[in-house]
Amino acid sequence: VGSEMCKETGDILTVRACVGAELTVFDLRGVAVYRDTMVESESRLNVSSLPAGIYVLSVCANDRTEYIRIIKQ
């Protein structure tokens, strides 16, 4: 799993991770607001339905979990 530790985005969030990685976006209350599984090594997540704010992206793959702070504009 390879990503930046903080990422700014608009409506589309690009994630690079291994196929099969589980992606979850949480709001600051800890509520999962988006879930997906990587089917390719690069995925474009449409987060246009989320209001502007700060979120946390969890990328789980190969017994590792990485958390990336997302600033949605």
Short mmCIF file of all heavy atoms in Angstrom, two decimals:
data_model
loop_
_atom_site.label_atom_id
_atom_site.label_comp_id
_atom_site.label_asym_id
_atom_site.label_seq_id
_atom_site.Cartn_x
_atom_site.Cartn_y
_atom_site.Cartn_z
N VAL A 1 0.86 -1.17 0.00
CA VAL A 1 0.00 0.00 0.00
C VAL A 1 0.90 1.22 0.00
O VAL A 1 1.75 1.36 0.86
CB VAL A 1 -0.90 0.02 1.26
CG1 VAL A 1 -1.73 1.27 1.30
CG2 VAL A 1 -1.76 -1.22 1.30
N GLY A 2 0.71 2.07 -0.96
CA GLY A 2 1.53 3.26 -1.01
C GLY A 2 0.70 4.48 -1.27
O GLY A 2 -0.02 4.53 -2.26
N SER A 3 0.75 5.45 -0.38
CA SER A 3 -0.01 6.67 -0.53
C SER A 3 0.64 7.78 0.27
O SER A 3 1.49 7.54 1.11
CB SER A 3 -1.45 6.49 -0.05
OG SER A 3 -2.19 5.70 -0.93
N GLU A 4 0.17 9.00 0.01
CA GLU A 4 0.60 10.13 0.81
C GLU A 4 -0.17 10.08 2.13
O GLU A 4 -1.23 9.50 2.21
CB GLU A 4 0.28 11.41 0.06
CG GLU A 4 0.92 11.46 -1.31
CD GLU A 4 0.24 12.46 -2.23
OE1 GLU A 4 -0.38 13.41 -1.76
OE2 GLU A 4 0.34 12.24 -3.44
N MET A 5 0.37 10.73 3.14
CA MET A 5 -0.28 10.71 4.45
C MET A 5 -1.39 11.75 4.55
O MET A 5 -2.23 11.67 5.41
CB MET A 5 0.75 10.92 5.56
CG MET A 5 1.78 9.79 5.59
SD MET A 5 1.08 8.14 5.48
CE MET A 5 0.45 7.92 7.10
N CYS A 6 -1.41 12.74 3.67
CA CYS A 6 -2.48 13.74 3.63
C CYS A 6 -2.70 14.11 2.17
O CYS A 6 -1.75 14.29 1.42
CB CYS A 6 -2.08 14.98 4.44
SG CYS A 6 -3.37 16.24 4.44
N LYS A 7 -3.95 14.20 1.79
CA LYS A 7 -4.24 14.43 0.38
C LYS A 7 -5.44 15.36 0.25
O LYS A 7 -6.44 15.16 0.93
CB LYS A 7 -4.53 13.08 -0.28
CG LYS A 7 -4.65 13.13 -1.76
CD LYS A 7 -4.63 11.73 -2.33
CE LYS A 7 -4.55 11.81 -3.82
NZ LYS A 7 -3.84 10.75 -4.42
N GLU A 8 -5.32 16.36 -0.61
CA GLU A 8 -6.45 17.23 -0.91
C GLU A 8 -7.12 16.71 -2.17
O GLU A 8 -6.46 16.21 -3.08
CB GLU A 8 -5.99 18.67 -1.12
CG GLU A 8 -5.50 19.31 0.15
CD GLU A 8 -5.21 20.79 -0.02
OE1 GLU A 8 -5.82 21.43 -0.89
OE2 GLU A 8 -4.37 21.28 0.73
N THR A 9 -8.44 16.83 -2.23
CA THR A 9 -9.16 16.34 -3.39
C THR A 9 -10.41 17.17 -3.64
O THR A 9 -10.90 17.85 -2.74
CB THR A 9 -9.53 14.85 -3.22
OG1 THR A 9 -10.03 14.35 -4.47
CG2 THR A 9 -10.59 14.64 -2.15
N GLY A 10 -10.91 17.05 -4.86
CA GLY A 10 -12.19 17.63 -5.22
C GLY A 10 -13.21 16.50 -5.21
O GLY A 10 -13.38 15.80 -4.21
N ASP A 11 -13.84 16.26 -6.36
CA ASP A 11 -14.87 15.23 -6.43
C ASP A 11 -14.32 13.84 -6.73
O ASP A 11 -14.99 12.85 -6.50
CB ASP A 11 -15.90 15.60 -7.50
CG ASP A 11 -16.75 16.79 -7.09
OD1 ASP A 11 -16.84 17.05 -5.87
OD2 ASP A 11 -17.33 17.43 -7.97
N ILE A 12 -13.11 13.75 -7.27
CA ILE A 12 -12.51 12.47 -7.62
C ILE A 12 -11.22 12.28 -6.82
O ILE A 12 -10.34 13.13 -6.84
CB ILE A 12 -12.20 12.37 -9.13
CG1 ILE A 12 -13.46 12.60 -9.96
CG2 ILE A 12 -11.54 11.04 -9.47
CD1 ILE A 12 -14.55 11.55 -9.77
N LEU A 13 -11.13 11.16 -6.15
CA LEU A 13 -9.95 10.82 -5.35
C LEU A 13 -9.27 9.62 -6.01
O LEU A 13 -9.89 8.57 -6.18
CB LEU A 13 -10.38 10.47 -3.92
CG LEU A 13 -9.31 9.94 -2.99
CD1 LEU A 13 -8.23 10.99 -2.77
CD2 LEU A 13 -9.93 9.54 -1.66
N THR A 14 -8.01 9.78 -6.40
CA THR A 14 -7.27 8.70 -7.03
C THR A 14 -6.46 7.97 -5.97
O THR A 14 -5.73 8.59 -5.20
CB THR A 14 -6.33 9.24 -8.12
OG1 THR A 14 -7.12 9.93 -9.10
CG2 THR A 14 -5.57 8.12 -8.80
N VAL A 15 -6.61 6.64 -5.93
CA VAL A 15 -5.92 5.81 -4.94
C VAL A 15 -5.13 4.75 -5.69
O VAL A 15 -5.64 4.12 -6.62
CB VAL A 15 -6.93 5.13 -3.99
CG1 VAL A 15 -6.23 4.23 -3.00
CG2 VAL A 15 -7.78 6.16 -3.28
N ARG A 16 -3.89 4.56 -5.27
CA ARG A 16 -3.05 3.49 -5.83
C ARG A 16 -2.76 2.50 -4.72
O ARG A 16 -2.20 2.87 -3.68
CB ARG A 16 -1.76 4.06 -6.39
CG ARG A 16 -1.96 4.88 -7.64
CD ARG A 16 -0.67 5.48 -8.16
NE ARG A 16 -0.92 6.37 -9.27
CZ ARG A 16 -1.20 7.66 -9.15
NH1 ARG A 16 -1.28 8.21 -7.96
NH2 ARG A 16 -1.42 8.39 -10.22
N ALA A 17 -3.12 1.26 -4.94
CA ALA A 17 -2.90 0.19 -3.95
C ALA A 17 -2.99 -1.13 -4.70
O ALA A 17 -3.32 -1.17 -5.89
CB ALA A 17 -3.92 0.27 -2.83
N CYS A 18 -2.72 -2.21 -4.00
CA CYS A 18 -2.76 -3.51 -4.66
C CYS A 18 -4.21 -3.96 -4.89
O CYS A 18 -5.13 -3.55 -4.19
CB CYS A 18 -1.99 -4.55 -3.86
SG CYS A 18 -2.68 -4.89 -2.25
N VAL A 19 -4.40 -4.78 -5.91
CA VAL A 19 -5.71 -5.34 -6.22
C VAL A 19 -6.20 -6.11 -4.99
O VAL A 19 -5.45 -6.86 -4.37
CB VAL A 19 -5.64 -6.25 -7.46
CG1 VAL A 19 -6.96 -6.96 -7.70
CG2 VAL A 19 -5.24 -5.44 -8.69
N GLY A 20 -7.45 -5.90 -4.64
CA GLY A 20 -8.04 -6.57 -3.48
C GLY A 20 -8.00 -5.75 -2.21
O GLY A 20 -8.62 -6.12 -1.21
N ALA A 21 -7.28 -4.63 -2.22
CA ALA A 21 -7.23 -3.78 -1.03
C ALA A 21 -8.63 -3.24 -0.74
O ALA A 21 -9.39 -2.91 -1.65
CB ALA A 21 -6.26 -2.63 -1.24
N GLU A 22 -8.97 -3.16 0.53
CA GLU A 22 -10.26 -2.63 0.94
C GLU A 22 -10.12 -1.16 1.29
O GLU A 22 -9.25 -0.79 2.08
CB GLU A 22 -10.79 -3.41 2.15
CG GLU A 22 -11.06 -4.86 1.83
CD GLU A 22 -11.51 -5.65 3.05
OE1 GLU A 22 -11.82 -5.03 4.08
OE2 GLU A 22 -11.55 -6.87 2.95
N LEU A 23 -10.96 -0.33 0.68
CA LEU A 23 -10.93 1.11 0.90
C LEU A 23 -12.16 1.52 1.69
O LEU A 23 -13.28 1.13 1.35
CB LEU A 23 -10.93 1.85 -0.43
CG LEU A 23 -9.89 1.42 -1.46
CD1 LEU A 23 -10.12 2.19 -2.76
CD2 LEU A 23 -8.50 1.65 -0.94
N THR A 24 -11.97 2.32 2.73
CA THR A 24 -13.09 2.85 3.50
C THR A 24 -12.78 4.31 3.81
O THR A 24 -11.69 4.64 4.26
CB THR A 24 -13.28 2.09 4.83
OG1 THR A 24 -13.37 0.69 4.56
CG2 THR A 24 -14.55 2.53 5.53
N VAL A 25 -13.76 5.17 3.55
CA VAL A 25 -13.64 6.58 3.90
C VAL A 25 -14.52 6.82 5.12
O VAL A 25 -15.70 6.46 5.12
CB VAL A 25 -14.08 7.50 2.73
CG1 VAL A 25 -14.03 8.96 3.15
CG2 VAL A 25 -13.19 7.26 1.51
N PHE A 26 -13.92 7.41 6.16
CA PHE A 26 -14.64 7.71 7.40
C PHE A 26 -14.75 9.22 7.56
O PHE A 26 -13.81 9.96 7.22
CB PHE A 26 -13.86 7.19 8.62
CG PHE A 26 -13.74 5.70 8.66
CD1 PHE A 26 -12.60 5.07 8.17
CD2 PHE A 26 -14.74 4.92 9.21
CE1 PHE A 26 -12.46 3.69 8.21
CE2 PHE A 26 -14.62 3.54 9.26
CZ PHE A 26 -13.48 2.93 8.76
N ASP A 27 -15.89 9.68 8.12
CA ASP A 27 -15.95 11.08 8.50
C ASP A 27 -15.28 11.23 9.87
O ASP A 27 -14.82 10.24 10.44
CB ASP A 27 -17.40 11.60 8.48
CG ASP A 27 -18.31 10.96 9.51
OD1 ASP A 27 -17.82 10.31 10.47
OD2 ASP A 27 -19.55 11.11 9.37
N LEU A 28 -15.23 12.44 10.39
CA LEU A 28 -14.50 12.65 11.64
C LEU A 28 -15.22 12.09 12.86
O LEU A 28 -14.66 12.02 13.94
CB LEU A 28 -14.20 14.14 11.83
CG LEU A 28 -13.14 14.69 10.88
CD1 LEU A 28 -12.88 16.16 11.16
CD2 LEU A 28 -11.85 13.89 10.98
N ARG A 29 -16.47 11.63 12.69
CA ARG A 29 -17.18 10.96 13.78
C ARG A 29 -16.87 9.46 13.79
O ARG A 29 -17.33 8.74 14.65
CB ARG A 29 -18.68 11.18 13.66
CG ARG A 29 -19.10 12.64 13.79
CD ARG A 29 -20.55 12.84 13.45
NE ARG A 29 -20.75 12.47 12.04
CZ ARG A 29 -21.89 12.03 11.54
NH1 ARG A 29 -22.94 11.89 12.29
NH2 ARG A 29 -21.98 11.73 10.26
N GLY A 30 -16.14 9.00 12.76
CA GLY A 30 -15.81 7.58 12.66
C GLY A 30 -16.84 6.77 11.90
O GLY A 30 -16.77 5.54 11.87
N VAL A 31 -17.76 7.44 11.24
CA VAL A 31 -18.80 6.76 10.46
C VAL A 31 -18.27 6.50 9.05
O VAL A 31 -17.76 7.41 8.39
CB VAL A 31 -20.08 7.62 10.40
CG1 VAL A 31 -21.13 6.98 9.50
CG2 VAL A 31 -20.63 7.87 11.79
N ALA A 32 -18.40 5.26 8.59
CA ALA A 32 -17.97 4.91 7.23
C ALA A 32 -18.95 5.54 6.23
O ALA A 32 -20.15 5.28 6.29
CB ALA A 32 -17.91 3.41 7.05
N VAL A 33 -18.44 6.37 5.33
CA VAL A 33 -19.29 7.06 4.36
C VAL A 33 -19.05 6.56 2.94
O VAL A 33 -19.78 6.94 2.02
CB VAL A 33 -19.11 8.59 4.44
CG1 VAL A 33 -19.61 9.13 5.77
CG2 VAL A 33 -17.65 8.99 4.21
N TYR A 34 -18.05 5.70 2.75
CA TYR A 34 -17.74 5.15 1.42
C TYR A 34 -16.93 3.88 1.61
O TYR A 34 -16.02 3.84 2.43
CB TYR A 34 -16.92 6.16 0.60
CG TYR A 34 -16.67 5.74 -0.83
CD1 TYR A 34 -17.49 6.18 -1.85
CD2 TYR A 34 -15.61 4.90 -1.15
CE1 TYR A 34 -17.26 5.78 -3.16
CE2 TYR A 34 -15.39 4.51 -2.46
CZ TYR A 34 -16.21 4.95 -3.46
OH TYR A 34 -15.99 4.57 -4.75
N ARG A 35 -17.27 2.85 0.86
CA ARG A 35 -16.52 1.58 0.89
C ARG A 35 -16.34 1.08 -0.54
O ARG A 35 -17.23 1.20 -1.37
CB ARG A 35 -17.26 0.51 1.68
CG ARG A 35 -17.35 0.76 3.15
CD ARG A 35 -18.05 -0.43 3.84
NE ARG A 35 -18.44 -0.10 5.17
CZ ARG A 35 -17.69 -0.30 6.25
NH1 ARG A 35 -16.50 -0.82 6.13
NH2 ARG A 35 -18.13 0.03 7.45
N ASP A 36 -15.18 0.47 -0.79
CA ASP A 36 -14.92 -0.11 -2.11
C ASP A 36 -13.76 -1.09 -1.98
O ASP A 36 -13.05 -1.08 -0.98
CB ASP A 36 -14.56 0.99 -3.11
CG ASP A 36 -14.81 0.58 -4.56
OD1 ASP A 36 -15.23 -0.57 -4.79
OD2 ASP A 36 -14.57 1.41 -5.45
N THR A 37 -13.60 -1.93 -2.98
CA THR A 37 -12.49 -2.87 -3.05
C THR A 37 -11.75 -2.61 -4.36
O THR A 37 -12.37 -2.46 -5.41
CB THR A 37 -12.99 -4.33 -3.00
OG1 THR A 37 -13.70 -4.52 -1.78
CG2 THR A 37 -11.84 -5.31 -3.06
N MET A 38 -10.43 -2.55 -4.28
CA MET A 38 -9.61 -2.29 -5.47
C MET A 38 -9.73 -3.47 -6.44
O MET A 38 -9.51 -4.61 -6.05
CB MET A 38 -8.15 -2.10 -5.09
CG MET A 38 -7.87 -0.92 -4.18
SD MET A 38 -7.97 0.68 -4.99
CE MET A 38 -6.56 0.63 -6.07
N VAL A 39 -10.08 -3.19 -7.70
CA VAL A 39 -10.11 -4.23 -8.73
C VAL A 39 -8.97 -4.02 -9.73
O VAL A 39 -8.73 -4.86 -10.57
CB VAL A 39 -11.47 -4.29 -9.45
CG1 VAL A 39 -12.56 -4.74 -8.49
CG2 VAL A 39 -11.82 -2.96 -10.08
N GLU A 40 -8.30 -2.87 -9.64
CA GLU A 40 -7.11 -2.56 -10.41
C GLU A 40 -6.13 -1.89 -9.46
O GLU A 40 -6.49 -1.55 -8.34
CB GLU A 40 -7.45 -1.62 -11.58
CG GLU A 40 -8.40 -2.23 -12.58
CD GLU A 40 -8.73 -1.28 -13.72
OE1 GLU A 40 -8.08 -0.21 -13.81
OE2 GLU A 40 -9.60 -1.60 -14.51
N SER A 41 -4.90 -1.67 -9.91
CA SER A 41 -3.91 -1.06 -9.02
C SER A 41 -4.12 0.44 -8.83
O SER A 41 -3.52 1.05 -7.96
CB SER A 41 -2.49 -1.32 -9.55
OG SER A 41 -2.36 -0.76 -10.84
N GLU A 42 -4.99 1.04 -9.64
CA GLU A 42 -5.35 2.44 -9.47
C GLU A 42 -6.87 2.56 -9.55
O GLU A 42 -7.49 1.98 -10.44
CB GLU A 42 -4.70 3.32 -10.54
CG GLU A 42 -5.02 4.79 -10.36
CD GLU A 42 -4.26 5.68 -11.31
OE1 GLU A 42 -3.02 5.71 -11.22
OE2 GLU A 42 -4.91 6.34 -12.14
N SER A 43 -7.44 3.29 -8.61
CA SER A 43 -8.88 3.44 -8.57
C SER A 43 -9.22 4.91 -8.41
O SER A 43 -8.54 5.65 -7.70
CB SER A 43 -9.46 2.63 -7.40
OG SER A 43 -10.86 2.70 -7.40
N ARG A 44 -10.28 5.33 -9.07
CA ARG A 44 -10.76 6.71 -8.95
C ARG A 44 -12.09 6.66 -8.20
O ARG A 44 -13.08 6.15 -8.72
CB ARG A 44 -10.91 7.34 -10.32
CG ARG A 44 -9.57 7.48 -11.03
CD ARG A 44 -9.71 7.89 -12.49
NE ARG A 44 -10.50 9.07 -12.71
CZ ARG A 44 -10.03 10.32 -12.73
NH1 ARG A 44 -8.75 10.52 -12.55
NH2 ARG A 44 -10.82 11.34 -12.95
N LEU A 45 -12.08 7.20 -6.99
CA LEU A 45 -13.28 7.20 -6.16
C LEU A 45 -14.06 8.49 -6.38
O LEU A 45 -13.50 9.58 -6.27
CB LEU A 45 -12.90 7.09 -4.68
CG LEU A 45 -11.92 6.00 -4.28
CD1 LEU A 45 -11.70 6.04 -2.78
CD2 LEU A 45 -12.41 4.64 -4.71
N ASN A 46 -15.34 8.36 -6.67
CA ASN A 46 -16.19 9.53 -6.84
C ASN A 46 -16.75 9.92 -5.47
O ASN A 46 -17.62 9.24 -4.94
CB ASN A 46 -17.32 9.23 -7.83
CG ASN A 46 -18.17 10.45 -8.10
OD1 ASN A 46 -18.14 11.45 -7.38
ND2 ASN A 46 -18.95 10.38 -9.16
N VAL A 47 -16.21 10.98 -4.90
CA VAL A 47 -16.65 11.43 -3.58
C VAL A 47 -17.45 12.74 -3.68
O VAL A 47 -17.55 13.49 -2.71
CB VAL A 47 -15.44 11.58 -2.62
CG1 VAL A 47 -14.83 10.23 -2.31
CG2 VAL A 47 -14.40 12.54 -3.18
N SER A 48 -18.04 12.98 -4.85
CA SER A 48 -18.78 14.22 -5.07
C SER A 48 -19.99 14.35 -4.15
O SER A 48 -20.43 15.46 -3.86
CB SER A 48 -19.22 14.33 -6.54
OG SER A 48 -20.08 13.26 -6.87
N SER A 49 -20.52 13.24 -3.67
CA SER A 49 -21.69 13.29 -2.79
C SER A 49 -21.33 13.69 -1.36
O SER A 49 -22.22 14.01 -0.57
CB SER A 49 -22.42 11.94 -2.77
OG SER A 49 -21.56 10.95 -2.22
N LEU A 50 -20.04 13.70 -1.03
CA LEU A 50 -19.62 14.07 0.32
C LEU A 50 -19.46 15.59 0.43
O LEU A 50 -18.92 16.22 -0.47
CB LEU A 50 -18.28 13.41 0.67
CG LEU A 50 -18.24 11.89 0.66
CD1 LEU A 50 -16.83 11.41 0.97
CD2 LEU A 50 -19.24 11.32 1.64
N PRO A 51 -19.93 16.16 1.54
CA PRO A 51 -19.71 17.60 1.72
C PRO A 51 -18.24 17.91 1.95
O PRO A 51 -17.47 17.03 2.35
CB PRO A 51 -20.55 17.94 2.95
CG PRO A 51 -20.80 16.65 3.65
CD PRO A 51 -20.69 15.56 2.63
N ALA A 52 -17.86 19.15 1.71
CA ALA A 52 -16.48 19.58 1.96
C ALA A 52 -16.15 19.33 3.43
O ALA A 52 -17.00 19.47 4.30
CB ALA A 52 -16.32 21.04 1.61
N GLY A 53 -14.92 18.91 3.67
CA GLY A 53 -14.51 18.67 5.05
C GLY A 53 -13.32 17.74 5.10
O GLY A 53 -12.67 17.46 4.09
N ILE A 54 -13.03 17.24 6.30
CA ILE A 54 -11.90 16.35 6.52
C ILE A 54 -12.40 14.93 6.73
O ILE A 54 -13.35 14.71 7.49
CB ILE A 54 -11.07 16.82 7.73
CG1 ILE A 54 -10.51 18.23 7.46
CG2 ILE A 54 -9.93 15.84 8.02
CD1 ILE A 54 -9.84 18.86 8.64
N TYR A 55 -11.76 13.99 6.06
CA TYR A 55 -12.12 12.58 6.13
C TYR A 55 -10.85 11.76 6.34
O TYR A 55 -9.74 12.27 6.18
CB TYR A 55 -12.81 12.13 4.84
CG TYR A 55 -14.11 12.86 4.60
CD1 TYR A 55 -14.13 14.08 3.93
CD2 TYR A 55 -15.31 12.34 5.05
CE1 TYR A 55 -15.32 14.76 3.73
CE2 TYR A 55 -16.50 13.01 4.85
CZ TYR A 55 -16.50 14.23 4.19
OH TYR A 55 -17.67 14.90 4.00
N VAL A 56 -11.02 10.49 6.66
CA VAL A 56 -9.89 9.59 6.79
C VAL A 56 -10.13 8.40 5.86
O VAL A 56 -11.19 7.76 5.92
CB VAL A 56 -9.71 9.09 8.24
CG1 VAL A 56 -8.59 8.06 8.32
CG2 VAL A 56 -9.42 10.27 9.17
N LEU A 57 -9.16 8.14 4.98
CA LEU A 57 -9.22 6.99 4.08
C LEU A 57 -8.42 5.86 4.71
O LEU A 57 -7.25 6.02 5.04
CB LEU A 57 -8.63 7.34 2.71
CG LEU A 57 -8.42 6.18 1.74
CD1 LEU A 57 -9.75 5.54 1.36
CD2 LEU A 57 -7.66 6.64 0.52
N SER A 58 -9.05 4.71 4.87
CA SER A 58 -8.40 3.51 5.37
C SER A 58 -8.15 2.59 4.18
O SER A 58 -9.07 2.28 3.42
CB SER A 58 -9.30 2.82 6.40
OG SER A 58 -8.84 1.52 6.67
N VAL A 59 -6.89 2.19 4.00
CA VAL A 59 -6.52 1.26 2.93
C VAL A 59 -5.97 0.01 3.60
O VAL A 59 -4.92 0.04 4.23
CB VAL A 59 -5.45 1.88 1.99
CG1 VAL A 59 -5.12 0.91 0.86
CG2 VAL A 59 -5.92 3.22 1.44
N CYS A 60 -6.72 -1.11 3.49
CA CYS A 60 -6.33 -2.37 4.13
C CYS A 60 -5.90 -3.36 3.05
O CYS A 60 -6.68 -3.69 2.15
CB CYS A 60 -7.48 -2.97 4.92
SG CYS A 60 -8.06 -1.92 6.25
N ALA A 61 -4.66 -3.86 3.17
CA ALA A 61 -4.15 -4.84 2.22
C ALA A 61 -3.00 -5.60 2.85
O ALA A 61 -2.17 -5.01 3.56
CB ALA A 61 -3.67 -4.16 0.94
N ASN A 62 -2.95 -6.89 2.60
CA ASN A 62 -1.82 -7.72 3.04
C ASN A 62 -1.53 -7.57 4.54
O ASN A 62 -0.40 -7.36 4.95
CB ASN A 62 -0.56 -7.42 2.23
CG ASN A 62 -0.78 -7.65 0.75
OD1 ASN A 62 -1.49 -8.57 0.36
ND2 ASN A 62 -0.18 -6.82 -0.07
N ASP A 63 -2.57 -7.63 5.36
CA ASP A 63 -2.44 -7.53 6.81
C ASP A 63 -1.87 -6.20 7.28
O ASP A 63 -1.32 -6.11 8.38
CB ASP A 63 -1.59 -8.69 7.37
CG ASP A 63 -2.24 -10.04 7.13
OD1 ASP A 63 -3.49 -10.10 7.19
OD2 ASP A 63 -1.52 -11.01 6.87
N ARG A 64 -1.97 -5.17 6.46
CA ARG A 64 -1.53 -3.82 6.83
C ARG A 64 -2.68 -2.86 6.60
O ARG A 64 -3.44 -3.02 5.64
CB ARG A 64 -0.36 -3.36 5.97
CG ARG A 64 0.96 -4.00 6.31
CD ARG A 64 2.11 -3.43 5.50
NE ARG A 64 2.10 -1.97 5.50
CZ ARG A 64 2.61 -1.23 4.52
NH1 ARG A 64 3.14 -1.80 3.46
NH2 ARG A 64 2.59 0.08 4.58
N THR A 65 -2.78 -1.87 7.47
CA THR A 65 -3.77 -0.82 7.29
C THR A 65 -3.05 0.52 7.32
O THR A 65 -2.24 0.77 8.20
CB THR A 65 -4.84 -0.85 8.38
OG1 THR A 65 -5.48 -2.13 8.37
CG2 THR A 65 -5.90 0.22 8.15
N GLU A 66 -3.34 1.34 6.33
CA GLU A 66 -2.75 2.66 6.25
C GLU A 66 -3.89 3.67 6.29
O GLU A 66 -4.93 3.46 5.66
CB GLU A 66 -1.98 2.79 4.93
CG GLU A 66 -1.03 3.94 4.89
CD GLU A 66 -0.11 3.86 3.68
OE1 GLU A 66 0.37 2.76 3.36
OE2 GLU A 66 0.11 4.91 3.07
N TYR A 67 -3.70 4.75 7.03
CA TYR A 67 -4.71 5.79 7.14
C TYR A 67 -4.18 7.07 6.52
O TYR A 67 -3.07 7.50 6.81
CB TYR A 67 -5.06 6.04 8.61
CG TYR A 67 -5.64 4.82 9.27
CD1 TYR A 67 -4.83 3.95 10.00
CD2 TYR A 67 -6.98 4.52 9.15
CE1 TYR A 67 -5.35 2.81 10.59
CE2 TYR A 67 -7.52 3.39 9.75
CZ TYR A 67 -6.70 2.55 10.46
OH TYR A 67 -7.24 1.43 11.03
N ILE A 68 -5.00 7.67 5.66
CA ILE A 68 -4.62 8.89 4.96
C ILE A 68 -5.69 9.93 5.23
O ILE A 68 -6.88 9.68 5.03
CB ILE A 68 -4.47 8.66 3.44
CG1 ILE A 68 -3.40 7.60 3.18
CG2 ILE A 68 -4.10 9.94 2.73
CD1 ILE A 68 -3.94 6.33 2.66
N ARG A 69 -5.27 11.10 5.68
CA ARG A 69 -6.23 12.17 5.90
C ARG A 69 -6.59 12.80 4.56
O ARG A 69 -5.71 13.12 3.75
CB ARG A 69 -5.64 13.23 6.83
CG ARG A 69 -6.65 14.30 7.18
CD ARG A 69 -6.11 15.22 8.22
NE ARG A 69 -5.04 16.02 7.65
CZ ARG A 69 -4.59 17.15 8.17
NH1 ARG A 69 -5.04 17.56 9.32
NH2 ARG A 69 -3.62 17.82 7.58
N ILE A 70 -7.87 12.97 4.32
CA ILE A 70 -8.38 13.53 3.08
C ILE A 70 -9.03 14.87 3.37
O ILE A 70 -9.88 14.95 4.28
CB ILE A 70 -9.43 12.59 2.43
CG1 ILE A 70 -8.86 11.21 2.20
CG2 ILE A 70 -9.98 13.19 1.15
CD1 ILE A 70 -7.69 11.16 1.27
N ILE A 71 -8.66 15.89 2.64
CA ILE A 71 -9.32 17.18 2.75
C ILE A 71 -10.15 17.37 1.49
O ILE A 71 -9.61 17.57 0.40
CB ILE A 71 -8.29 18.32 2.91
CG1 ILE A 71 -7.45 18.07 4.16
CG2 ILE A 71 -9.01 19.67 2.98
CD1 ILE A 71 -6.26 18.98 4.31
N LYS A 72 -11.45 17.22 1.62
CA LYS A 72 -12.38 17.35 0.49
C LYS A 72 -12.77 18.82 0.35
O LYS A 72 -13.23 19.42 1.29
CB LYS A 72 -13.61 16.48 0.73
CG LYS A 72 -14.81 16.75 -0.17
CD LYS A 72 -14.72 16.08 -1.48
CE LYS A 72 -15.98 16.06 -2.28
NZ LYS A 72 -16.79 17.23 -2.39
N GLN A 73 -12.53 19.37 -0.84
CA GLN A 73 -12.84 20.79 -1.07
C GLN A 73 -14.20 20.96 -1.68
O GLN A 73 -14.78 20.09 -2.21
CB GLN A 73 -11.77 21.40 -1.94
CG GLN A 73 -10.42 21.31 -1.31
CD GLN A 73 -9.32 21.90 -2.17
OE1 GLN A 73 -9.56 22.38 -3.26
NE2 GLN A 73 -8.11 21.88 -1.67
#
